[in-house]
Every structure is written in structure tokens, then in C-alpha cells.
Amino acid sequence: MAIYRFRVTFEDYEDVYREIDMPSKATFLELHHAIHNATGYNPDVSSSFYVSNDQWKKGTEIAFLPTERKRSNGVLAMEGIRLSKFIDDPHQKFYYIYNFDRPYDFHVELIKILKEEDGKEYPLIFKAVGTVPKQVAAANFPVPGVEDEDDEEEDVPADETEYGVDEDEDFDLFDGEEEGEEEKGTGGVEDGY
């Protein structure tokens, strides 16, 4: 059986990569799990592989936990698609987005096709270079279900305005302009009312 060696590189951290050996009959779901075995990330989140060209342009999507919209559009499911189905090039590329809520983008490139070796269990992490970034560093978005004291304060509107009107701002706007105009030319018109 053929073994595919993929280099999996973080798009934003090119000096961090993993080389993973996968059997050609493995599914994209097995590759998804192998990547997260190598990174330590939770594999149970919505993610997708995209068949790509040399410029990493996204083509056919192969998804894990797709949204209802993607399902209705006929997206392919990782668990049902073998890697060999989309390997047409000895340097085939896949663009991989992990966790659409707090995404990391990866470049997955086939770098070698080997023969299976007796005594080795696949998938196999062949090489690990660099320390993977912590998931919390991916973005500064609030995590659903995790409350922070600062978040509670931000949800409550500050009481700088009363009844939706910031009085200081309104008076500052009129004070400068109208005082000058009254002094110049009204000559006591207000007294007549």
C-alpha cells in the first residue's frame, strides 16, 4: 500500500510544521485527527479541507461537522472520502481551515509517496518542527460559555447619559455658537415674548 507523507504548515507560522505519514486508503477524517494528534488541538470542531492548486486557491470542500447550509449545497463529508480520491499530483495541496469559530489556516502538501513499512503503525508523525501556537492566541473573541468580569461590565450600558441624551454634549454644541450670535444681533428679541 502507498503511504502519503504530508507536510502540514500553519499559514501564519511557517516555521511550525508537522510531517505526517498517512495510508493512501485513509480518509480525510483520519488526516484531520492525525493533524490534531500532532498539534494537541481538539479535533471535534467544524473544519474543512479544500483541494488546492499551487497558489493555495480553494477548490472542492471536504468538511467535518458542516453547517446545514453546506450540507444542503452538497458539501463532501470527510468521513466518506479517501485521500487517494483527490491525489492527482505528486505535490498535491490542500488548504485546511481548523475551527471556523476561532480559525487556524493550514497548508497541507503531499511531499512524498512511500511504500508501507512493516512494523510501523499509521498515521505516523514523521517529523515535528516548532511549537504550535496556543489556541487562545488565535483571536481575541469571547469564547461562548466562558464569562469574564470585564464582559459583564461591557454588557451594561454606562450611565453617562440620561434617557439616551448626553446633556453635556448637547449644551457644548449650542453654547459656543448661539451665545456669540445672541450678542451680535438679536438685541433683546427674546424679551418680547
Side-chain angles (χ1 to χ4, degrees), residues 175-193:
D175 288 347
E177 293 175 13
E178 288 190 5
E179 280 179 20
E181 289 173 11
E182 280 179 25
E183 289 173 12
K184 285 181 189 173
T186 56
V189 174
E190 289 184 68
D191 294 337
Y193 291 117

Side-chain angles (χ1 to χ4, degrees), residues 88-100:
D88 324 343
D89 176 346
H91 295 283
Q92 181 65 56
K93 293 176 170 67
F94 300 98
Y95 193 92
Y96 174 60
I97 299 176
Y98 164 69
N99 190 359
F100 285 100

Side-chain angles (χ1 to χ4, degrees), residues 148-168:
D148 187 3
E149 289 176 20
D150 293 338
D151 290 343
E152 290 175 16
E153 290 175 16
E154 289 174 5
D155 292 342
V156 178
D159 199 17
E160 294 170 7
T161 61
E162 189 172 346
Y163 306 111
V165 176
D166 185 349
E167 293 178 19
D168 291 337

Side-chain angles (χ1 to χ4, degrees), residues 104-147:
Y104 271 123
D105 296 349
F106 293 86
H107 293 165
V108 179
E109 181 178 4
L110 178 63
I111 58 171
K112 264 187 189 175
I113 300 175
L114 311 159
K115 288 186 178 180
E116 182 178 12
E117 291 182 36
D118 291 337
K120 286 193 177 177
E121 285 191 38
Y122 299 98
L124 170 75
I125 300 169
F126 177 74
K127 189 178 201 178
V129 173
T131 305
V132 298
K134 294 186 187 298
Q135 283 186 282
V136 261
N140 292 323
F141 299 117
V143 178
V146 176
E147 290 190 20

Side-chain angles (χ1 to χ4, degrees), residues 25-33 43-49 61-66 71 75-83 85-86:
K25 67 178 184 179
T27 64
F28 279 89
L29 182 61
E30 290 170 292
L31 178 57
H32 166 82
H33 282 286
D44 298 326
V45 294
S46 182
S47 304
S48 287
F49 286 96
E61 181 177 6
I62 305 160
F64 176 64
L65 301 176
R71 272 191 225 120
V75 72
L76 300 175
M78 283 187 196
E79 58 271 11
I81 306 295
R82 292 191 189 278
L83 295 171
K85 181 174 173 74
F86 285 100

